[in-house]
Amino acid sequence: FQAEDGIRDLVRSRGLGDVYKRQDLTASKRLPKAIAELREERVPLNVTISSDAYGSAPKFDENGSFIGMTIAKPTSVFEVIKALYFEFNWKLEEIIPLFTENPAKVLGLSKKGKIEVGYDADFLVLNNDLDLRYVISRGPIFKSPDWLFKGYFN
């Protein structure tokens, strides 16, 4: 699979797919289209989507040439979720596993990725516009609409 707009390389050999970005952080705009095309082509969506929030990210010019490094933003994940939901009319039950269950499986995180007895109590609570309202990690609240935990995560 080769998307025309810079997202490339669906790796099928292991039965797991990774869609790589080639254009700066605009991939959050292109990724939903690439994922929607995969679904239309009936490619199994064994895809994982995640963010290296605040980590290093390559930056490319309009020709796809590497021009330096930038900082990855955590908001890109929400942009992809919102686009799949609002623009491509996916159900949340189809979207959420791409960000939760699939990455947990690939990374071998046996207590992550699902809401189930015995799993870590990690939740993001979103409003109807899919804006982040609460972050709960292993039980404690780390973010609310009026408050953000500052310090080291446990």
Side-chain angles (χ1 to χ4, degrees):
F1 171 78
Q2 176 77 36
E4 63 194 45
D5 61 354
I7 309 271
R8 69 174 178 109
D9 200 10
L10 174 67
V11 180
R12 297 182 195 184
S13 62
R14 292 176 27 214
L16 303 170
D18 291 320
V19 179
Y20 294 94
K21 60 186 176 185
R22 303 217 351 133
Q23 278 288 348
D24 188 43
L25 297 177
T26 59
S28 63
K29 303 284 188 226
R30 298 170 184 205
L31 183 59
K33 181 180 179 203
I35 296 296
E37 288 174 1
L38 291 175
R39 186 171 84 166
E40 287 174 19
E41 293 175 19
R42 302 208 187 290
V43 174
L45 287 180
N46 295 324
V47 173
T48 69
I49 302 173
S50 61
S51 163
D52 288 337
Y54 302 114
S56 298
K59 188 172 184 178
F60 300 91
D61 66 16
E62 61 279 352
N63 298 316
S65 298
F66 176 77
I67 58 171
M69 298 298 287
T70 189
I71 297 172
K73 298 178 182 177
T75 55
S76 62
V77 169
F78 291 103
E79 291 169 13
V80 173
I81 291 170
K82 287 179 178 184
L84 288 172
Y85 185 77
F86 292 115
E87 295 172 35
F88 293 95
N89 301 310
W90 284 34
K91 296 177 182 173
L92 286 176
E93 306 86 70
E94 299 171 301
I95 299 169
I96 299 304
L98 303 176
F99 298 86
T100 58
E101 188 175 355
N102 293 1
K105 284 180 188 174
V106 169
L107 296 171
L109 302 172
S110 62
K111 302 282 185 190
K112 302 280 186 189
K114 294 181 184 180
I115 299 172
E116 225 173 79
V117 174
Y119 278 63
D120 289 345
D122 297 335
F123 300 95
L124 299 179
V125 179
L126 311 176
N127 65 14
N128 289 338
D129 294 324
L130 302 183
D131 295 321
L132 181 63
R133 304 301 289 163
Y134 294 88
V135 174
I136 301 166
S137 179
R138 296 185 182 170
I141 297 174
F142 281 82
K143 182 206 178 306
S144 75
D146 304 319
W147 178 81
L148 176 65
F149 174 82
K150 296 186 182 193
Y152 296 104
F153 289 95
N154 48 3

